[in-house]
Amino acid sequence: MNRIPKIVILGAGYGGILTAQRLQKTLNYNEADVTLVNKHDYHYITTSLHIPAAGTGNPESSRVNISKLIDEFKVDFVKSTVVQINPEEKKVILTEGTLSYDYLVVGLGGETETFGIPGLKEHAFNIRSINSVRHIRDHIEYQFAKYKREPEHTEYLTFVVGGAGFTGIEFVGELSDRIPELCKEYDVNPSLVKIYNIEAAPTALPGFDPELVQYAMEVLTAKGVTFKIGTAIKECTAEGVLVAGDEFIKSATVIWTGGIRGNHLLDEAGFETMRGRIKVDEFLRIPGHDNVFVLGDCSLMINPENERPYPPTAQIAMQQGVVCAFNLAASIRGGQLKKFKYDNKGTVASLGKGEAIGIIGTRKIKGFAAAFMKKVIDIRYLFIIGGVGLVLRKGKLF
Amino acid sequence: MNRIPKIVILGAGYGGILTAQRLQKTLNYNEADVTLVNKHDYHYITTSLHIPAAGTGNPESSRVNISKLIDEFKVDFVKSTVVQINPEEKKVILTEGTLSYDYLVVGLGGETETFGIPGLKEHAFNIRSINSVRHIRDHIEYQFAKYKREPEHTEYLTFVVGGAGFTGIEFVGELSDRIPELCKEYDVNPSLVKIYNIEAAPTALPGFDPELVQYAMEVLTAKGVTFKIGTAIKECTAEGVLVAGDEFIKSATVIWTGGIRGNHLLDEAGFETMRGRIKVDEFLRIPGHDNVFVLGDCSLMINPENERPYPPTAQIAMQQGVVCAFNLAASIRGGQLKKFKYDNKGTVASLGKGEAIGIIGTRKIKGFAAAFMKKVIDIRYLFIIGGVGLVLRKGKLF
């Protein structure tokens, strides 16, 4: 009698959850042991974390218990943190225990890339998890409370967002909606509050349609955001940021959204990486390791259309999860593997309440229509992973 | 034609508001110019501040706009902070301007007394205003957010309340209700959270009925409060408190409720004070200054029954406000002044949701009945200052 192959999935993000869910649908009884490992007992919806971070929404809307997403009769779940991946011994070391595998799926998610800018690691927040967004939300509110006690400290009311990519833009959109609410609650004159969005690249949302970028900047400027584009942050301290041109912006709240790299565990495992990301083969495997698949922020795939890497998005991670599950089943069964091909369904970036920009197919959308599409996309995701029940529990159209 | 006498009331607390409201009822047209001066454009209900401080209730329930309480055709209102009282020139210096008076009512409220304990002033919070309770509430929540990011810092989850008088006891009652909610919201194991209530006197609630004090301590201990009674705080630092016996309790949150003194402006005005409080005559005036009345925390009156000063409570300040208004009208009209006589209507201390202790008349009450009485007292106050409308807007029976 053959031993049942063991599949270990690291990370219950977009890629990991989709892989686990597709495997539990595809695999027959006793065809494989599937174990999903995740640091928390919940999955979080990274694409909406900017909302609870600004305080315009509840963090509970951005997370789902993993027990609601997987069938525990088919997939084991281990709540633990991965300490080390050992591809030679086919083992994964966890803070609590060790798992051996025949097939490994690495969907561990990325880490913040600070590009060596001094002080960012120590003094800036990152919008990266439920814990981090609760921290940011409470920190922001706390600055208003502190300002009322020490009104000479105007830096309490200055908020610096480093990076004007999707996360940075979506976050300042929410924050500019939240500020008037906080001003009302804490009796603060709104004209004292400053929001800076600082981007080193020559444009906000690099690579996105210039007309829509222009629209986004106009909307956000009207909501009180000051953009500093083509302006690098040179240093971050506990007192604020030093930017190109030797201007120092005093701020008690710096939020860095300017870079994502892969995961240090992949470097440490001895794989060849580019900033923690692995250039996977067309089947999503690590070259030379046919039993190790990499998804999401840890994977690197080149877009043949422009010879540049695909950006790390939820959309691509989900599609990778589906293909990864197919290829795992095919590997076990000795079948033909499927090549991954990215199907770009479009991109929408929120600019706060009732405002967004996006491209769906070849069509540019903006304003309320785009904001509506954003919500449709969010709800579609809830439906994919959790069906109608999850949509009713977590989805909000308005 | 005689000049119309000017009455200036400093402070819109319990004493000041009652004085202003009674004057606007009593005085005839052009009998006096009455000006009420207050730092904020709202009155706050000091006796309920422990609730928003713990986060179990909204700060808005503890404040009322002054415009809703006074008739602006009869009483002028100036939003400003008092800088100096000059009794020789009969002037009050404000941050914005100067007011001259014929009669002055000082209802400025007390200040925190730290008894010279090192570090309390710098590192401890005080439950003293809307701004301070928003600060405390946000600080507490922020500790939970920070703990999830730095779980080695258990001091984030340790809360020290200095003083087990009414404010200290009522606050730990609310805080012990709030902790389970925060633990749920932030995924924190409740057994990690510690609440210490530290009191130098040999008993909690000194002077209160010992049987009821015993009951209160049992209720609060069961809710997770650790009492250290007969234990002085020797020093407070940014890391926690050093208590008698050289025990250091690490805590990121120290809230000092252990002492109230009068107002430094009375010392600076050259009046004879005892810790900023003035021993007023039986008509509530400063001896030697027949045109200056002092109410509330700034006044000192001896209880003839036990030869000790009356504690500074809302109840006594309100009764003083009524007598003060009567005596002001009598002074202007050349009539007979009324002696102040304190009518103790009883005392109830909340221990959190559904629990309280109290004495009404000679009757001891506890548990739900006492909690209900506490709410009745709160609503009665709203009714006195703002009628049915204010009760409906701010009052909550459950």
Side-chain angles (χ1 to χ4, degrees), chain A residues 66-128:
Chain A
I66 288 169
S67 62
K68 304 263 181 204
L69 297 180
I70 60 167
D71 178 346
E72 289 182 17
F73 289 102
K74 295 183 175 169
V75 174
D76 287 338
F77 172 66
V78 174
K79 177 174 177 275
S80 194
T81 300
V82 183
V83 176
Q84 196 196 324
I85 299 166
N86 186 333
E88 277 67 47
E89 298 185 22
K90 296 187 185 171
K91 279 188 193 316
V92 177
I93 318 290
L94 309 176
T95 44
E96 292 93 18
T98 302
L99 295 174
S100 62
Y101 64 81
D102 299 300
Y103 296 93
L104 184 68
V105 179
V106 182
L108 285 169
E111 294 170 350
T112 299
E113 174 63 85
T114 57
F115 304 111
I117 299 168
L120 267 188
K121 213 169 181 154
E122 296 76 15
H123 302 297
F125 292 94
N126 310 115
I127 301 171
R128 297 288 301 152

Side-chain angles (χ1 to χ4, degrees), chain B residues 265-322:
Chain B
L265 292 172
L266 290 171
D267 297 320
E268 291 169 17
F271 298 122
E272 194 186 324
T273 75
M274 291 171 68
R275 294 187 182 272
R277 302 175 77 192
I278 288 180
K279 195 159 177 245
V280 291
D281 68 18
E282 55 196 354
F283 306 114
L284 304 174
R285 301 175 304 188
I286 300 182
H289 296 265
D290 283 359
N291 64 330
V292 185
F293 293 77
V294 185
L295 313 176
D297 293 2
C298 293
S299 74
L300 184 68
M301 299 198 90
I302 301 297
N303 181 351
E305 285 174 23
N306 60 10
E307 300 284 316
R308 289 166 54 91
Y310 287 115
T313 65
Q315 189 181 169
I316 199 168
M318 287 165 66
Q319 294 181 18
Q320 289 175 327
V322 173

Side-chain angles (χ1 to χ4, degrees), chain A residues 63 134 138-139 142 185-186, chain B residues 134 138-139 142 185-186:
Chain A
R63 68 170 168 180
R134 288 189 297 217
D138 289 5
H139 178 87
Y142 194 48
E185 186 179 344
Y186 289 87
Chain B
R134 289 189 295 217
D138 289 4
H139 177 87
Y142 194 48
E185 186 179 345
Y186 289 87

Side-chain angles (χ1 to χ4, degrees), chain B residues 40-51:
Chain B
H40 309 110
D41 52 12
Y42 51 84
H43 162 79
Y44 54 79
I45 300 163
T46 318
T47 55
S48 71
L49 284 178
H50 57 283
I51 296 168

Side-chain angles (χ1 to χ4, degrees), chain A residues 22-174:
Chain A
R22 289 301 173 116
L23 281 179
Q24 74 191 9
K25 255 196 207 166
T26 307
L27 293 176
N28 299 316
Y29 179 67
N30 268 352
E31 217 178 346
D33 274 343
V34 182
T35 304
L36 175 65
V37 179
N38 198 57
K39 200 170 164 176
H40 309 110
D41 53 11
Y42 52 84
H43 162 80
Y44 54 79
I45 299 163
T46 317
T47 55
S48 72
L49 285 179
H50 57 282
I51 295 168
T56 42
N58 193 311
E60 294 305 315
S61 301
S62 293
R63 68 170 168 180
V64 185
N65 283 339
I66 288 169
S67 62
K68 304 263 181 204
L69 297 180
I70 60 167
D71 178 346
E72 289 182 17
F73 289 102
K74 295 183 175 169
V75 174
D76 287 338
F77 172 66
V78 174
K79 177 174 177 275
S80 194
T81 300
V82 183
V83 176
Q84 196 196 324
I85 299 166
N86 186 333
E88 277 67 47
E89 298 185 22
K90 296 187 185 171
K91 279 188 193 316
V92 177
I93 318 290
L94 309 176
T95 44
E96 292 93 18
T98 302
L99 295 174
S100 62
Y101 64 81
D102 299 300
Y103 296 93
L104 184 68
V105 179
V106 182
L108 285 169
E111 294 170 350
T112 299
E113 174 63 85
T114 57
F115 304 111
I117 299 168
L120 267 188
K121 213 169 181 154
E122 296 76 15
H123 302 297
F125 292 94
N126 310 115
I127 301 171
R128 297 288 301 152
S129 64
I130 295 291
N131 285 333
S132 78
V133 303
R134 288 189 297 217
H135 194 194
I136 293 168
R137 173 197 64 183
D138 289 5
H139 178 87
I140 291 170
E141 283 202 39
Y142 194 48
Q143 302 318 300
F144 279 79
K146 290 210 290 185
Y147 172 76
K148 290 301 286 186
R149 307 287 287 160
E150 301 167 281
E152 68 280 16
H153 285 281
T154 54
E155 73 274 19
Y156 291 157
L157 300 184
T158 300
F159 301 92
V160 171
V161 178
F166 276 89
T167 307
I169 287 290
E170 291 195 307
F171 178 68
V172 295
E174 293 300 319

Side-chain angles (χ1 to χ4, degrees), chain A residues 319-330:
Chain A
Q319 294 181 18
Q320 288 175 328
V322 173
V323 171
C324 177
F326 182 94
N327 287 349
L328 281 163

Side-chain angles (χ1 to χ4, degrees), chain A residues 98-288:
Chain A
T98 302
L99 295 174
S100 62
Y101 64 81
D102 299 300
Y103 296 93
L104 184 68
V105 179
V106 182
L108 285 169
E111 294 170 350
T112 299
E113 174 63 85
T114 57
F115 304 111
I117 299 168
L120 267 188
K121 213 169 181 154
E122 296 76 15
H123 302 297
F125 292 94
N126 310 115
I127 301 171
R128 297 288 301 152
S129 64
I130 295 291
N131 285 333
S132 78
V133 303
R134 288 189 297 217
H135 194 194
I136 293 168
R137 173 197 64 183
D138 289 5
H139 178 87
I140 291 170
E141 283 202 39
Y142 194 48
Q143 302 318 300
F144 279 79
K146 290 210 290 185
Y147 172 76
K148 290 301 286 186
R149 307 287 287 160
E150 301 167 281
E152 68 280 16
H153 285 281
T154 54
E155 73 274 19
Y156 291 157
L157 300 184
T158 300
F159 301 92
V160 171
V161 178
F166 276 89
T167 307
I169 287 290
E170 291 195 307
F171 178 68
V172 295
E174 293 300 319
L175 186 59
S176 58
D177 282 349
R178 180 71 177 134
I179 293 301
E181 294 173 9
L182 288 169
C183 285
K184 192 155 177 250
E185 186 179 344
Y186 289 87
D187 311 311
V188 167
N189 179 342
S191 72
L192 299 173
V193 181
K194 306 270 176 273
I195 303 174
Y196 290 97
N197 192 356
I198 303 175
E199 169 63 53
T203 170
L205 297 170
F208 208 64
D209 178 83
E211 184 196 326
L212 292 175
V213 172
Q214 183 60 30
Y215 177 81
M217 287 184 67
E218 283 166 15
V219 166
L220 294 172
T221 302
K223 287 168 91 169
V225 177
T226 303
F227 284 98
K228 289 185 171 283
I229 304 296
T231 306
I233 291 178
K234 292 167 73 177
E235 191 182 350
C236 180
T237 74
E239 276 76 43
V241 290
L242 181 69
V243 300
D246 276 341
E247 183 190 355
F248 192 85
I249 300 172
K250 283 185 79 174
S251 169
T253 311
V254 180
I255 292 149
W256 175 247
T257 69
I260 294 289
R261 49 164 281 140
N263 200 293
H264 70 284
L265 293 172
L266 291 171
D267 298 320
E268 291 169 16
F271 299 122
E272 194 185 324
T273 75
M274 291 170 68
R275 294 187 182 272
R277 302 175 78 191
I278 288 179
K279 196 159 177 244
V280 291
D281 68 16
E282 55 197 354
F283 306 115
L284 303 174
R285 301 175 308 189
I286 300 182

Side-chain angles (χ1 to χ4, degrees), chain A residues 343-365:
Chain A
D343 173 21
N344 186 346
K345 295 186 192 299
T347 310
V348 183
S350 160
L351 307 173
K353 197 167 169 57
E355 277 289 356
I357 52 170
I359 295 183
I360 307 283
T362 56
R363 202 169 153 210
K364 295 180 195 179
I365 52 175

